[in-house]
Amino acid sequence: LTQIMAAKKLKKRKKKTKKVLSPEEKALLRRKNKLHADVKALFKAMGFEYISTNGIEKKFGDTPGELDGVYIFENIIILCEETISSDNDHLRTKQVYYQKILENKQELFEWLKKLGKDKFKEYPLPRYSLSYIYITETIVDEDIRNRFPQFKYIAPKALKYFLRVAKSIRFSSRNEFFKFLGLNLDDIGSVSSSHEERHIDSAVIIPESSSGFPEGIQVVSFVMKAKELLDCAYVFRKDNWENRIGQYYQRLVDKNKVERIRDYLAKEGRTFIDNIIVTLPEGTSFSKNNKIIDVNQIATISNVQIRIPYKINSIGIIDGQHRVLGHYEGNDRLEDKIAQHRDKRHLFVTGIFYEEGKFDELKKRTFESGLFLLMNNNHSKVRTDLLHYIETLKAPLSPIGVAGTVLMRLNEREPFLNLFKLSPLDKEGIKTPTIVKFGLQGVVEISEKKETLFKYWKGANKKKLLTGELDQKIYDAYVDFCVHSLAIYFSSIKANFKDNWNLDKNNRLLATTAIVVFLKSFSISLQKYQDVKDFEFYKEKFSNLTIDFSKGEFAKFGSRDWKTLTDKIDAECWT
């Protein structure tokens, strides 16, 4: 008996023995836990319920697997995969598992209801919307994302963006996240008993003269509810999850500013008298006595009504985002007071209406960014680099405009994938202003007289860009050519200096000075060889380069000792 009891004690002792993790394993675990905590914080801030599934194996059909987390809001169910790996086989495995889930939705819901207990509301099975989100610590290449389109991908920068917005405006951040999921307001909650489209109706207070504005733009003022704007508005933030180049221009939401406005609303019981400046969506109409009138008539007719479609993310806020966002739906100490004002028609709004067919999206954003710049140019609170970006957006065909667009595109692919610091959300990265101003614009400028890529581009109708007329298709083709050529050029440099191609401060290959010098040297090679060469050509040439890019050795060159370095590359590589 004594021996049996001793054996049981020994067995228990063995069960309690924990594996000792190596420093590398501990670091890996910390990264996993940090990613999971950030994801949970995001969904909690947006008002989703969390169902813990991590570590629970569940078989659907004949395929076993796990879900790292499940989040639910009304009839919207989010299945999450969180990974710090960039293994393509992992994606392939998850694709197979998700397909089995879709084939067994009833079983999924029954299983989740057991785990989630009272977190589910009663909706019929077809009413539930299911999304599988793949959240990564590293960026998933665009080609790979296209091979696995079943997933919604959240890259590190997008996760930081959503977290910042969600922590600033809490539950009201859901609408932008619904846009990311591809959902409309009608997809959320119960089906409306009415089949009619919802609208926002208001009276036009002042038909503004559009004198000085381009033809095809009308301006009107009216009042709206904060809830209407929170449901339907979208802010064109430069640093956002869509990462659409040349489309957006506004700064990130400032949580402290939102809270100050929220305090004011709760204390004073009223909002500010400044107008919110917005763009009106397609489908906006004007009428008098229930009869539709032409937008060009509104300046000469009194008692005009405006009708705006009630659609998610359709009204663009140009100026005044914080005054709107201060009304957000949350769960803080001020919520009861703010809720009283959210449904009040007390926000003065000036709306910009584009006549149909006269402005494409790029021209709209260019015009709007100019307005934003005009209203904020003298405000120290607006970052200089953001104002510089807006100037770039206003003149996309200018040397700095093309350079800015090419730089952002280079950041989306190898060898510069996510290496440039383009946003306040980027904690580290290569700083870009000097590169754009002194290096890149001299390579990509639209000119046939200078030694730039444009001179050697064989694009159809390229001369059209020389006239200053923005043809989007031709412009995009030229940017593609620039990005492709520069990616080949710098890939050959990376191939010769692999150990230096990182953001380690002890390596200076990716320092601003080095990149500017390589860009200047690229222009010299264009002039010398009268063409763009292939990867193998550049790789062979740079194998002769003897510059030491370690910090100590490279420090002998000054921060702008560009000519000395360019001459050295010229002598060793292009002769």
Side-chain angles (χ1 to χ4, degrees):
L1 182 62
T2 303
Q3 289 178 339
I4 293 172
M5 291 178 68
K8 286 184 177 178
K9 286 182 179 179
L10 182 61
K11 191 175 181 181
K12 285 183 180 178
R13 213 175 288 128
K14 285 183 178 179
K15 284 184 178 178
K16 290 180 180 179
T17 302
K18 291 184 178 180
K19 178 187 175 184
V20 178
L21 299 178
S22 68
E24 293 77 15
E25 289 173 324
K26 287 180 180 178
L28 194 69
L29 185 60
R30 283 195 297 270
R31 286 163 54 196
K32 287 181 178 179
N33 290 340
K34 173 68 166 57
L35 182 61
H36 184 64
D38 284 346
V39 174
K40 283 186 70 176
L42 169 63
F43 283 101
K44 181 179 179 181
M46 293 192 296
F48 280 74
E49 296 276 7
Y50 172 61
I51 300 176
S52 179
T53 56
N54 192 21
I56 303 174
E57 185 178 279
K58 172 64 178 171
K59 184 182 286 188
F60 290 98
D62 57 354
T63 305
E66 292 182 14
L67 297 170
D68 290 333
V70 176
Y71 300 88
I72 183 168
F73 173 77
E74 295 292 341
N75 61 319
I76 310 301
I77 298 176
I78 311 292
L79 311 179
C80 282
E81 177 63 30
E82 304 156 11
T83 180
I84 59 174
S85 168
S86 55
D87 183 4
N88 295 344
D89 287 334
H90 184 257
L91 259 171
R92 198 173 292 109
T93 300
K94 291 300 175 181
Q95 179 194 35
V96 172
Y97 189 56
Y98 184 41
Q99 185 58 45
K100 292 297 180 182
I101 289 174
L102 294 176
E103 293 170 5
N104 297 273
K105 283 179 72 172
Q106 182 67 53
E107 183 182 351
L108 171 73
F109 294 142
E110 290 174 359
W111 177 59
L112 291 178
K113 282 180 180 179
K114 287 179 182 177
L115 294 175
K117 296 180 181 178
D118 58 346
K119 295 176 181 178
F120 271 79
K121 296 186 179 180
E122 290 302 320
Y123 289 100
L125 183 63
R127 186 61 183 163
Y128 280 101
S129 171
L130 198 64
S131 296
Y132 201 122
I133 299 182
Y134 198 82
I135 305 172
T136 60
E137 189 188 59
T138 57
I139 292 178
V140 179
D141 186 86
E142 184 178 0
D143 291 337
I144 296 172
R145 294 199 304 268
N146 291 336
R147 276 162 45 197
F148 301 99
Q150 298 88 341
F151 305 115
K152 297 287 185 181
Y153 294 90
I154 296 185
K157 183 177 173 181
L159 179 58
K160 291 177 186 176
Y161 171 78
F162 279 129
L163 264 171
R164 176 156 177 165
V165 175
K167 288 180 178 180
S168 298
I169 60 172
R170 312 298 292 185
F171 302 159
S172 293
S173 65
R174 282 193 299 256
N175 285 335
E176 186 169 358
F177 196 77
F178 290 149
K179 181 183 180 183
F180 164 73
L181 296 176
L183 300 174
N184 297 311
L185 289 174
D186 291 340
D187 296 322
I188 301 146
S190 301
V191 181
S192 174
S193 58
S194 171
H195 293 291
E196 293 184 6
E197 288 188 5
R198 296 170 65 190
H199 295 91
I200 301 165
D201 292 304
S202 187
V204 174
I205 302 172
I206 307 172
E208 306 283 0
S209 169
S210 60
S211 176
F213 286 166
E215 183 182 351
I217 292 178
Q218 296 291 336
V219 183
V220 293
S221 291
F222 50 95
V223 289
M224 287 183 71
K225 300 175 182 178
K227 184 182 186 312
E228 293 170 339
L229 280 169
L230 288 169
D231 282 350
C232 301
Y234 182 69
V235 181
F236 298 106
R237 298 187 185 97
K238 170 182 170 284
D239 305 297
N240 68 89
W241 57 269
E242 288 186 282
N243 198 30
R244 292 171 64 184
I245 296 170
Q247 291 287 307
Y248 303 143
Y249 49 85
Q250 284 222 41
R251 55 193 181 270
L252 288 166
V253 60
D254 184 332
K255 185 177 186 296
N256 292 330
K257 187 172 182 179
V258 169
E259 292 306 318
R260 289 197 299 271
I261 291 173
R262 196 167 174 83
D263 285 335
Y264 177 88
L265 286 169
K267 180 181 177 181
E268 301 295 331
R270 59 183 173 83
T271 187
F272 301 91
I273 62 171
D274 310 56
N275 279 29
I276 311 295
I277 313 298
V278 307
T279 60
L280 299 172
E282 289 185 10
T284 299
S285 61
F286 301 90
S287 66
K288 180 178 174 66
N289 300 327
N290 296 320
K291 184 178 179 180
I292 298 294
I293 61 174
D294 186 273
V295 65
N296 294 299
Q297 295 179 288
I298 60 176
T300 59
I301 300 176
S302 59
N303 301 322
V304 173
Q305 292 286 318
I306 184 173
R307 168 165 281 197
I308 306 168
Y310 205 109
K311 293 182 178 179
I312 198 169
N313 295 289
S314 61
I315 301 172
I317 298 180
I318 297 176
D319 190 64
Q321 63 163 315
H322 292 93
R323 280 170 276 149
V324 176
L325 299 179
H327 295 79
Y328 72 77
E329 180 188 354
N331 53 1
D332 62 351
R333 61 184 176 80
L334 301 177
E335 174 58 25
D336 290 342
K337 291 183 178 180
I338 300 297
Q340 299 172 27
H341 305 298
R342 196 176 296 127
D343 214 31
K344 273 185 184 177
R345 198 179 293 275
H346 73 160
L347 287 177
F348 290 91
V349 177
T350 293
I352 295 170
F353 179 83
Y354 297 102
E355 292 185 41
E356 189 174 349
K358 294 192 175 182
F359 283 80
D360 60 23
E361 287 303 309
L362 184 58
K363 288 180 180 178
K364 288 178 184 178
R365 296 300 89 79
T366 302
F367 170 71
E368 293 155 16
S369 65
L371 282 183
F372 177 82
L373 186 64
L374 182 65
M375 289 182 271
N376 292 280
N377 203 16
N378 295 321
H379 294 191
S380 60
K381 60 190 175 184
V382 181
R383 297 188 334 268
T384 304
D385 63 327
L386 177 56
L387 295 176
H388 178 80
Y389 171 85
I390 294 171
E391 290 284 9
T392 300
L393 179 57
K394 286 173 61 182
L397 292 173
S398 68
I400 206 163
V402 180
T405 304
V406 169
L407 185 85
M408 287 185 281
R409 288 279 306 281
L410 283 170
N411 198 55
E412 295 178 348
R413 60 175 293 172
E414 294 290 355
F416 287 110
L417 182 63
N418 207 38
L419 288 177
F420 290 118
K421 185 175 174 61
L422 301 177
S423 162
L425 297 172
D426 298 325
K427 297 301 180 185
E428 60 178 14
I430 306 165
K431 294 181 180 180
T432 63
T434 299
I435 292 171
V436 170
K437 185 174 181 180
F438 296 103
L440 192 54
Q441 67 172 337
V443 173
V444 301
E445 181 179 349
I446 296 174
S447 170
E448 288 195 316
K449 296 179 180 179
K450 298 180 181 180
E451 294 301 320
T452 74
L453 281 166
F454 188 81
K455 181 177 179 181
Y456 301 101
W457 178 47
K458 299 176 177 62
N461 301 315
K462 61 182 284 186
K463 291 186 181 294
K464 196 170 184 181
L465 296 181
L466 291 168
T467 66
E469 180 183 348
L470 178 59
D471 185 302
Q472 192 65 49
K473 188 175 180 179
I474 301 173
Y475 180 76
D476 289 342
Y478 176 56
V479 168
D480 287 342
F481 173 72
C482 293
V483 171
H484 179 70
S485 302
L486 288 167
I488 288 174
Y489 176 73
F490 279 99
S491 291
S492 73
I493 298 169
K494 179 181 178 181
N496 279 286
F497 300 92
K498 290 179 182 177
D499 294 340
N500 299 96
W501 195 271
N502 55 61
L503 295 177
D504 188 333
K505 292 182 180 179
N506 290 320
N507 294 322
R508 308 310 294 156
L509 179 62
L510 294 182
T512 299
T513 295
I515 294 176
V516 169
V517 166
F518 278 121
L519 287 166
K520 288 180 175 294
S521 186
F522 184 63
S523 292
I524 293 172
S525 76
L526 288 176
Q527 184 175 17
K528 186 174 186 65
Y529 300 109
Q530 291 293 294
D531 203 356
V532 180
K533 297 297 185 177
D534 60 20
F535 171 80
E536 292 300 332
F537 175 87
Y538 292 124
K539 183 181 177 183
E540 181 184 351
K541 291 293 185 182
F542 282 119
S543 67
N544 301 315
L545 187 61
T546 61
I547 295 175
D548 187 339
F549 290 99
S550 60
K551 184 177 180 180
E553 288 299 312
F554 198 74
K556 68 176 72 170
F557 299 105
S559 61
R560 292 198 178 181
D561 199 359
W562 297 326
K563 189 176 187 312
T564 302
L565 286 163
T566 304
D567 289 345
K568 185 173 178 60
I569 295 174
D570 190 21
E572 295 184 353
C573 301
W574 308 138
T575 55

